[in-house]
Amino acid sequence: MSGNDVGIDASEDDRLGDLADDSAAREKWMLRDDEFLLEEDREYVLRDEGRSWLGYVSPAVFGAVLAVMVGDVITTAVGLAMGLEEVNPVAAALIAEAGLGGLVLLKTLAAIVLLLLPGITSDARQTFRAGSAVYLFVGLAVVAGNAWAILAVA
């Protein structure tokens, strides 16, 4: 018996063993019956239903995304104060209309999309990780470019 079997005898037709004699407990378990598994490898596992998509949002990854967003706002503000121009046309239009508050609004909307998008996809964890990875990659490149431009002017 493997550590995952937890005393469940999968050979019993209609029972889950001692762990699930009542119907409420049966709904918590399901037979992992993937096509590639051999008969002896099939086992009962806890269902993953009811898990909130927010459980897939990693605080560390989201914190890194927020740090990159703050870094972008700070380096953009410093660059604008030194006479540099915003290269991103959307951000430039927002900054022209609302100042740095427009850029903060843009970053806030990006963070909201990053948090809400996984809730409407079939694989919340994968969506959050992919969105965060893309944002971190692009955001770090933007912050590095801003820093490079600031150092070139200074």
Side-chain angles (χ1 to χ4, degrees):
M1 182 180 311
S2 71
N4 291 336
D5 288 339
V6 194
I8 296 175
D9 184 8
S11 65
E12 296 179 20
D13 290 335
D14 194 31
R15 294 178 27 125
L16 297 177
D18 295 336
L19 293 176
D21 286 334
D22 65 285
S23 61
R26 279 181 194 226
E27 292 181 17
K28 292 182 181 179
W29 296 90
M30 68 180 206
L31 180 63
R32 190 178 83 180
D33 193 16
D34 300 327
E35 292 178 20
F36 62 89
L37 290 176
L38 299 173
E39 189 63 36
E40 61 268 12
D41 292 331
R42 299 179 199 287
E43 62 188 353
Y44 285 94
V45 295
L46 279 172
R47 292 184 189 271
D48 195 21
E49 295 173 3
R51 186 172 182 181
S52 169
W53 61 270
L54 282 173
Y56 294 123
V57 174
S58 166
V61 172
F62 192 66
V65 168
L66 290 178
V68 168
M69 288 179 177
V70 169
D72 183 19
V73 170
I74 290 171
T75 56
T76 299
V78 170
L80 291 174
M82 295 176 76
L84 297 172
E85 293 181 15
E86 175 62 50
V87 177
N88 180 342
V90 174
L94 281 171
I95 291 170
E97 288 295 318
L100 281 178
L103 184 59
V104 171
L105 176 66
L106 184 65
K107 299 299 177 183
T108 303
L109 291 175
I112 290 171
V113 168
L114 188 61
L115 286 175
L116 295 181
L117 186 61
I120 60 172
T121 62
S122 62
D123 189 351
R125 177 178 294 160
Q126 189 67 22
T127 303
F128 178 76
R129 287 180 179 171
S132 297
V134 168
Y135 192 90
L136 285 172
F137 178 75
V138 172
L140 287 171
V142 167
V143 171
N146 288 350
W148 184 265
I150 289 169
L151 290 175
V153 171

